[in-house]
Amino acid sequence: MEKKYSIVIHPSQAVIDLIKEMKEFLALKVGWFNSKNSVAHITICEFKIEESQIDKFKQKIIKICDTFTPFPVHLDHYDSYDNGAFFISPNEDSKMNLKPIMKKTQDALQLPNLIKSNDPHISIGRKLTPESLKIASHMFTTIDMDFLCDNIVLREFDPIKKQFFVIDTFPFGSNPQPELVQGSLF
Protein backbone atom coordinates (compact mmCIF):
# COMPACT_ATOMS: atom_id res chain seq x y z
CA MET A 1 0.00 0.00 0.00
CA GLU A 2 1.31 3.45 -0.92
CA LYS A 3 1.84 5.81 2.01
CA LYS A 4 2.85 9.44 2.37
CA TYR A 5 6.01 10.33 4.31
CA SER A 6 7.91 13.47 5.19
CA ILE A 7 11.42 14.15 6.37
CA VAL A 8 11.80 17.10 8.70
CA ILE A 9 14.01 18.75 11.28
CA HIS A 10 12.41 19.08 14.69
CA PRO A 11 13.59 21.92 16.90
CA SER A 12 14.12 21.31 20.63
CA GLN A 13 11.12 20.38 22.78
CA ALA A 14 11.23 23.85 24.37
CA VAL A 15 10.90 25.49 20.93
CA ILE A 16 8.16 23.02 19.92
CA ASP A 17 6.22 23.87 23.10
CA LEU A 18 6.59 27.63 22.59
CA ILE A 19 5.42 27.42 18.97
CA LYS A 20 2.43 25.31 20.03
CA GLU A 21 1.47 28.11 22.46
CA MET A 22 1.85 30.67 19.66
CA LYS A 23 -0.45 28.64 17.40
CA GLU A 24 -3.05 28.34 20.17
CA PHE A 25 -2.87 32.10 20.79
CA LEU A 26 -3.29 32.85 17.07
CA ALA A 27 -6.26 30.44 16.90
CA LEU A 28 -7.99 32.41 19.67
CA LYS A 29 -7.80 35.51 17.43
CA VAL A 30 -8.45 34.09 13.95
CA GLY A 31 -10.06 30.66 14.49
CA TRP A 32 -8.80 27.37 13.07
CA PHE A 33 -6.12 27.49 10.38
CA ASN A 34 -3.99 25.04 8.38
CA SER A 35 -1.04 23.62 10.35
CA LYS A 36 -2.58 24.73 13.67
CA ASN A 37 -2.12 21.23 15.11
CA SER A 38 1.11 20.39 13.33
CA VAL A 39 4.19 19.91 15.53
CA ALA A 40 6.81 22.61 14.81
CA HIS A 41 9.29 21.47 12.16
CA ILE A 42 11.43 22.48 9.20
CA THR A 43 10.31 20.49 6.16
CA ILE A 44 13.01 18.85 4.06
CA CYS A 45 10.73 16.88 1.72
CA GLU A 46 7.58 14.81 1.28
CA PHE A 47 7.08 11.70 -0.83
CA LYS A 48 4.83 8.72 -1.47
CA ILE A 49 6.18 5.19 -1.69
CA GLU A 50 4.96 1.66 -1.13
CA GLU A 51 5.09 0.84 2.58
CA SER A 52 7.26 -2.20 1.75
CA GLN A 53 10.02 0.15 0.49
CA ILE A 54 10.40 2.26 3.65
CA ASP A 55 13.29 0.23 5.11
CA LYS A 56 15.34 0.83 1.95
CA PHE A 57 14.79 4.57 2.34
CA LYS A 58 15.61 4.45 6.06
CA GLN A 59 19.00 2.99 5.12
CA LYS A 60 19.62 5.90 2.73
CA ILE A 61 18.70 8.37 5.49
CA ILE A 62 20.99 6.62 8.02
CA LYS A 63 23.87 6.79 5.53
CA ILE A 64 23.44 10.49 4.73
CA CYS A 65 22.84 11.50 8.37
CA ASP A 66 26.09 9.81 9.35
CA THR A 67 27.90 12.48 7.28
CA PHE A 68 26.21 15.46 8.98
CA THR A 69 27.66 17.31 11.98
CA PRO A 70 25.36 18.98 14.56
CA PHE A 71 25.12 22.77 14.45
CA PRO A 72 23.12 25.50 16.21
CA VAL A 73 20.09 27.05 14.52
CA HIS A 74 19.07 30.58 15.46
CA LEU A 75 15.48 31.65 14.72
CA ASP A 76 15.40 35.43 14.61
CA HIS A 77 12.48 36.79 12.56
CA TYR A 78 8.97 36.22 11.21
CA ASP A 79 8.02 36.33 7.58
CA SER A 80 5.23 35.27 5.22
CA TYR A 81 4.66 33.94 1.72
CA ASP A 82 2.07 35.14 -0.78
CA ASN A 83 0.19 31.84 -0.35
CA GLY A 84 -0.85 32.83 3.19
CA ALA A 85 1.92 31.10 5.14
CA PHE A 86 3.17 32.89 8.26
CA PHE A 87 6.40 31.46 9.62
CA ILE A 88 9.51 31.79 11.76
CA SER A 89 12.71 32.07 9.78
CA PRO A 90 16.28 31.20 10.75
CA ASN A 91 19.05 33.78 10.41
CA GLU A 92 21.31 33.69 7.34
CA ASP A 93 24.09 31.63 8.99
CA SER A 94 21.57 29.01 10.07
CA LYS A 95 20.04 28.94 6.57
CA MET A 96 23.50 28.40 5.08
CA ASN A 97 23.92 25.37 7.38
CA LEU A 98 20.39 24.00 6.85
CA LYS A 99 20.23 24.20 3.06
CA PRO A 100 23.02 21.64 2.37
CA ILE A 101 21.41 19.21 4.85
CA MET A 102 18.10 19.60 3.03
CA LYS A 103 19.62 19.27 -0.46
CA LYS A 104 21.85 16.28 0.36
CA THR A 105 18.96 14.48 2.05
CA GLN A 106 16.69 15.11 -0.96
CA ASP A 107 19.40 13.96 -3.37
CA ALA A 108 20.14 10.80 -1.33
CA LEU A 109 16.54 9.58 -1.68
CA GLN A 110 16.69 9.55 -5.50
CA LEU A 111 12.92 9.83 -5.87
CA PRO A 112 11.32 11.41 -8.95
CA ASN A 113 8.10 12.41 -7.12
CA LEU A 114 9.84 14.20 -4.25
CA ILE A 115 8.19 17.40 -3.03
CA LYS A 116 11.18 19.48 -1.96
CA SER A 117 11.51 22.43 0.38
CA ASN A 118 14.44 24.74 -0.28
CA ASP A 119 13.68 27.61 2.09
CA PRO A 120 14.11 26.52 5.72
CA HIS A 121 11.34 27.85 7.98
CA ILE A 122 8.92 26.81 10.73
CA SER A 123 5.30 27.45 9.83
CA ILE A 124 2.97 29.03 12.36
CA GLY A 125 -0.02 29.04 10.00
CA ARG A 126 -0.64 28.12 6.38
CA LYS A 127 -3.29 29.31 3.91
CA LEU A 128 -4.16 32.25 6.16
CA THR A 129 -6.46 34.91 4.77
CA PRO A 130 -4.88 38.33 4.17
CA GLU A 131 -6.71 39.56 7.29
CA SER A 132 -5.43 36.66 9.42
CA LEU A 133 -1.89 37.22 8.09
CA LYS A 134 -2.10 40.84 9.15
CA ILE A 135 -3.31 39.84 12.63
CA ALA A 136 -0.46 37.30 12.96
CA SER A 137 2.16 39.84 11.90
CA HIS A 138 0.88 42.28 14.52
CA MET A 139 0.71 39.63 17.25
CA PHE A 140 4.19 38.24 16.64
CA THR A 141 6.88 40.83 15.99
CA THR A 142 10.12 39.67 17.62
CA ILE A 143 11.62 36.25 18.17
CA ASP A 144 14.96 35.00 19.46
CA MET A 145 15.20 31.20 19.82
CA ASP A 146 17.95 28.65 19.35
CA PHE A 147 18.16 24.88 19.07
CA LEU A 148 20.78 22.30 18.18
CA CYS A 149 20.15 20.61 14.85
CA ASP A 150 21.55 17.12 15.48
CA ASN A 151 19.12 14.76 13.73
CA ILE A 152 16.38 14.49 11.15
CA VAL A 153 12.99 12.89 11.61
CA LEU A 154 10.98 10.57 9.35
CA ARG A 155 7.21 10.95 9.67
CA GLU A 156 4.26 9.04 8.22
CA PHE A 157 0.95 10.66 7.31
CA ASP A 158 -2.16 9.48 9.16
CA PRO A 159 -5.03 9.93 6.67
CA ILE A 160 -7.65 9.78 9.43
CA LYS A 161 -6.12 12.39 11.75
CA LYS A 162 -4.71 14.26 8.74
CA GLN A 163 -1.42 14.73 10.60
CA PHE A 164 2.08 13.32 10.31
CA PHE A 165 3.48 11.25 13.19
CA VAL A 166 7.13 10.40 13.90
CA ILE A 167 8.20 6.88 12.95
CA ASP A 168 12.00 7.26 13.25
CA THR A 169 14.76 9.69 14.21
CA PHE A 170 18.21 9.66 12.60
CA PRO A 171 21.07 11.24 14.58
CA PHE A 172 23.92 13.04 12.86
CA GLY A 173 27.12 10.95 12.92
CA SER A 174 29.74 13.71 12.46
CA ASN A 175 31.54 11.58 9.87
CA PRO A 176 31.82 13.91 6.87
CA GLN A 177 32.68 12.19 3.61
CA PRO A 178 35.35 13.79 1.47
CA GLU A 179 33.82 15.67 -1.43
CA LEU A 180 34.64 14.09 -4.76
CA VAL A 181 36.67 16.53 -6.81
CA GLN A 182 37.09 15.88 -10.50
CA GLY A 183 40.72 16.34 -11.34
CA SER A 184 42.50 16.90 -14.59
CA LEU A 185 45.00 14.51 -16.13
CA PHE A 186 46.99 17.34 -17.69
Side-chain angles (χ1 to χ4, degrees):
M1 182 170 95
E2 190 173 72
K3 291 193 171 183
K4 185 176 179 180
Y5 299 93
S6 73
I7 300 176
V8 303
I9 295 168
H10 273 181
S12 64
Q13 191 60 50
V15 172
I16 287 172
D17 292 344
L18 182 63
I19 292 171
K20 182 177 181 177
E21 288 176 23
M22 294 166 70
K23 290 181 178 199
E24 294 292 333
F25 189 50
L26 181 59
L28 289 174
K29 302 288 184 191
V30 302
W32 185 89
F33 52 87
N34 286 68
S35 82
K36 178 194 173 288
N37 298 320
S38 178
V39 174
H41 64 277
I42 296 172
T43 300
I44 295 174
C45 59
E46 290 184 11
F47 56 95
K48 289 181 181 176
I49 57 169
E50 290 296 320
E51 186 177 13
S52 61
Q53 292 183 294
I54 195 62
D55 286 337
K56 179 176 89 171
F57 285 92
K58 284 183 180 183
Q59 291 306 311
K60 291 180 179 189
I61 299 167
I62 289 168
K63 190 174 180 180
I64 195 66
C65 282
D66 187 52
T67 69
F68 298 149
T69 300
F71 58 93
V73 173
H74 183 69
L75 305 167
D76 71 348
H77 65 282
Y78 295 99
D79 207 343
S80 62
Y81 294 130
D82 291 340
N83 65 4
F86 182 77
F87 58 89
I88 300 169
S89 190
N91 68 6
E92 286 306 312
D93 285 346
S94 296
K95 278 189 179 188
M96 284 178 45
N97 288 324
L98 286 163
K99 284 183 177 187
I101 301 288
M102 296 166 72
K103 175 95 171 84
K104 288 177 182 176
T105 302
Q106 294 162 358
D107 291 349
L109 295 177
Q110 298 175 322
L111 278 169
N113 66 342
L114 203 62
I115 300 170
K116 302 175 185 180
S117 173
N118 58 12
D119 184 28
H121 65 278
I122 299 177
S123 294
I124 301 289
R126 292 184 306 111
K127 299 181 183 174
L128 296 172
T129 65
E131 183 181 301
S132 293
L133 257 179
K134 189 174 181 181
I135 291 169
S137 66
H138 283 97
M139 287 174 62
F140 306 113
T141 56
T142 59
I143 189 153
D144 185 14
M145 293 191 287
D146 296 281
F147 70 91
L148 181 66
C149 181
D150 60 359
N151 65 69
I152 62 174
V153 175
L154 176 64
R155 306 180 311 167
E156 182 180 313
F157 188 71
D158 181 333
I160 294 162
K161 292 184 178 179
K162 300 200 181 318
Q163 288 290 324
F164 283 98
F165 62 94
V166 174
I167 58 171
D168 218 335
T169 301
F170 303 90
F172 292 175
S174 299
N175 292 310
Q177 302 295 312
E179 295 287 330
L180 293 176
V181 177
Q182 187 168 349
S184 172
L185 293 175
F186 305 101

